[in-house]
Amino acid sequence: MPIIGIASSGGMKPTTPVIGTATDNGTGTGVSVAFTPSTYIGKGTINYTATSSPGGLTGSSSSSPITVSGLTTGTPYTFTVVGTTNYGVSSGTSAASNSVTPITPTSFDSIATTTTTGVSNWTFSSIPSTYTHLQLRLFMTTGLGNVYLRFNGSTGTLYGYSNVETNGTASASTGTNSTDRIYINGTNYNIGNSTGAALLVNIYNYANTNTNTYITNQAGYYDGGANRMVSFGYGLWQSTAVIDSLTITTSGSTAVAGQSLALYGIK
Amino acid sequence: MAATYELLKSASLTSSASSISLSSIPQTYTDLVLVFSTAQTSAFGQVFMGSTSSNPVQIGLTANSPTSAGYTAYSTTQWAPFFNSNVGDLTSRPTQGIINIFSYCNPTSAKNVIWLNQVGNNNLRAVFSVSENADSTDLTSIVFDGNGQQFLAGTRVRLYGILRA
């Protein structure tokens, strides 16, 4: 008769793995299940199996995370994890994971939006590195003065920019290198008032450690009267670091209700 | 993360038409993106967003090659008087562009639009401009108007919706 907790020929049971976070892996039919391995394995080696509920679909790995494939797009799932040694001795079953729903993969995702008012700078942090490019879409309803970008909190003089702009009756261009920010509007004509201003910034290859980061920007506003400008520009950050945060700063009024700053990822 | 950039409307002409209408635009997105590739027999085309009498305003920068280089300023009371100009044929010189329409169903603000397009007439011209329609009414329709001329077969217009998190 086997003793409780001890397998007849494979030693004591491994301790139960601790479930982590289950996340959609972006394929539309797969989920990545994280867990903390057994702290005691006993005899032999161990492999872990994650099982879905509903469906009972499984995936296995000797370490975290485990990918479970073949799931149904749009269906919510939870997962449990069990460890089994090569002697066939199994641990207890972990608690169930969070619920996760695989969604159809897209090439343009909304990462985050901020509508914080009363400030003149906004930071998007913990930006995933899984996209190819980023896009910032800003709709502002206050006098912004000039607007600039910085990456990863860096204030070093590794930035450069060049903008061309017009206010409808004159035109100008501005730009410089080895400076501490990228202006995403031209700096000769202030941008924005209560009727709104639009800014669109594309940030290319932000997670490519072999290249610097380049941007293009479009910005403008027109209130139907004398207040108007439009600018088109290019910017550079001479760093190969992966961008995981970016900050937008205005020199004008603080943000008011009704405006938003949205960050998107493009694959 | 929410999926976004959904195709909302698509129009492809199989024969000439004086205008192209995109109506019943859903009010469930944050911004719109309009991508077009058009050709006309002559003259300029226009884009009306919402009412044609809402008096939008527009300024722009133009790069004009080979007769001139650099940029030029515009001021006008029409939506897009220079999105198309004496285009000869769709195959070799279509006019293509992308129009971004911000907060199109925000009833408390004017409609801000920025666009970038190329004009395929005898010269090559790149245009970047910004427009605003002071009418705060939710935008439910967009009309490409030939301004008295015909859009040629092969002209294509696509409208996408962008949804923020």
Side-chain angles (χ1 to χ4, degrees):
Chain A
M1 173 183 294
I3 301 171
I4 293 174
I6 300 177
S8 58
S9 59
M12 295 183 66
K13 293 175 62 174
T15 54
T16 302
V18 177
I19 194 69
T21 302
T23 54
D24 179 10
N25 71 1
T27 64
T29 57
V31 165
S32 178
V33 183
F35 65 94
T36 301
S38 303
T39 54
Y40 173 78
I41 296 174
K43 191 176 180 181
T45 58
I46 191 167
N47 210 41
Y48 298 92
T49 299
T51 303
S52 73
S53 176
L57 294 164
T58 62
S60 63
S61 174
S62 59
S63 61
S64 177
I66 300 170
T67 298
V68 181
S69 303
L71 303 170
T72 300
T73 304
T75 297
Y77 292 92
T78 61
F79 299 85
T80 55
V81 174
V82 172
T84 304
T85 71
N86 58 328
Y87 287 95
V89 182
S90 295
S91 70
T93 301
S94 74
S97 72
N98 57 293
S99 178
V100 59
T101 303
I103 61 172
T104 302
T106 63
S107 58
F108 194 98
D109 292 336
S110 175
I111 294 174
T113 298
T114 176
T115 56
T116 305
T117 60
V119 299
S120 58
N121 66 80
W122 302 263
T123 296
F124 290 100
S125 57
S126 302
I127 298 170
S129 60
T130 51
Y131 296 94
T132 309
H133 312 301
L134 299 174
Q135 184 175 96
L136 266 174
R137 303 178 68 89
L138 316 180
F139 176 69
M140 315 292 276
T141 52
T142 188
L144 298 170
N146 296 308
V147 187
Y148 62 85
L149 273 182
R150 283 181 173 140
F151 300 117
N152 293 1
S154 171
T155 57
T157 54
L158 297 174
Y159 300 91
Y161 63 87
S162 181
N163 288 300
V164 60
E165 59 188 314
T166 179
N167 63 358
T169 56
S171 57
S173 61
T174 60
T176 186
N177 204 355
S178 300
T179 186
D180 65 356
R181 65 195 67 180
I182 300 174
Y183 280 99
I184 57 174
N185 68 309
T187 54
N188 287 280
Y189 311 120
N190 289 341
I191 182 171
N193 63 13
S194 60
T195 62
L199 300 93
L200 177 62
V201 181
N202 288 301
I203 303 165
Y204 302 94
N205 293 311
Y206 72 105
N208 184 340
T209 57
N210 294 313
T211 66
N212 295 328
T213 294
Y214 302 89
I215 78 164
T216 55
N217 49 275
Q218 306 168 41
Y221 86 113
Y222 196 169
D223 69 356
N227 302 304
R228 59 195 181 187
M229 66 84 64
V230 58
S231 70
F232 182 72
Y234 164 84
L236 158 71
W237 186 38
Q238 298 177 78
S239 169
T240 58
V242 174
I243 292 174
D244 58 17
S245 74
L246 61 86
T247 300
I248 305 105
T249 303
T250 77
S251 63
S253 303
T254 57
V256 298
Q259 59 191 25
S260 70
L261 301 86
L263 179 67
Y264 299 86
I266 302 172
K267 292 178 181 173
Chain B
M1 298 169 192
T4 184
Y5 223 113
E6 303 281 348
L7 177 62
L8 305 180
K9 304 283 180 179
S10 179
S12 298
L13 295 184
T14 55
S15 59
S16 296
S18 59
S19 67
I20 303 169
S21 295
L22 305 174
S23 58
S24 302
I25 297 171
Q27 303 295 290
T28 51
Y29 293 87
T30 309
D31 301 334
L32 299 174
V33 176
L34 193 56
V35 181
F36 61 88
S37 178
T38 66
Q40 284 179 265
T41 50
S42 65
F44 295 106
Q46 304 170 86
V47 182
F48 295 106
M49 302 185 189
S51 169
T52 57
S53 60
S54 54
N55 196 29
V57 291
Q58 177 172 322
I59 56 173
L61 290 163
T62 297
N64 200 10
S65 174
T67 56
S68 64
Y71 44 83
T72 307
Y74 285 88
S75 179
T76 180
T77 55
Q78 292 179 307
W79 269 111
F82 41 77
F83 93 85
N84 215 335
S85 175
N86 296 326
V87 175
D89 64 87
L90 191 68
T91 303
S92 63
R93 286 173 177 167
T95 292
Q96 301 167 86
I98 299 176
I99 302 175
N100 284 273
I101 307 164
F102 288 73
S103 293
Y104 72 104
C105 55
N106 181 346
T108 63
S109 71
K111 304 298 175 281
N112 281 251
V113 177
I114 56 179
W115 61 43
L116 186 64
N117 69 276
Q118 157 266 334
V119 176
N121 61 2
N122 292 331
N123 299 323
L124 296 176
R125 183 181 297 175
V127 180
F128 173 62
S129 60
V130 58
S131 292
E132 181 178 275
N133 188 339
D135 185 353
S136 61
T137 305
D138 293 350
L139 187 63
T140 58
S141 67
I142 296 172
V143 177
F144 277 73
D145 186 275
N147 199 19
Q149 302 298 321
Q150 297 282 306
F151 289 111
L152 302 179
T155 291
R156 173 179 287 182
V157 177
R158 292 196 168 194
L159 180 68
Y160 299 86
I162 289 182
L163 183 65
R164 75 186 187 204

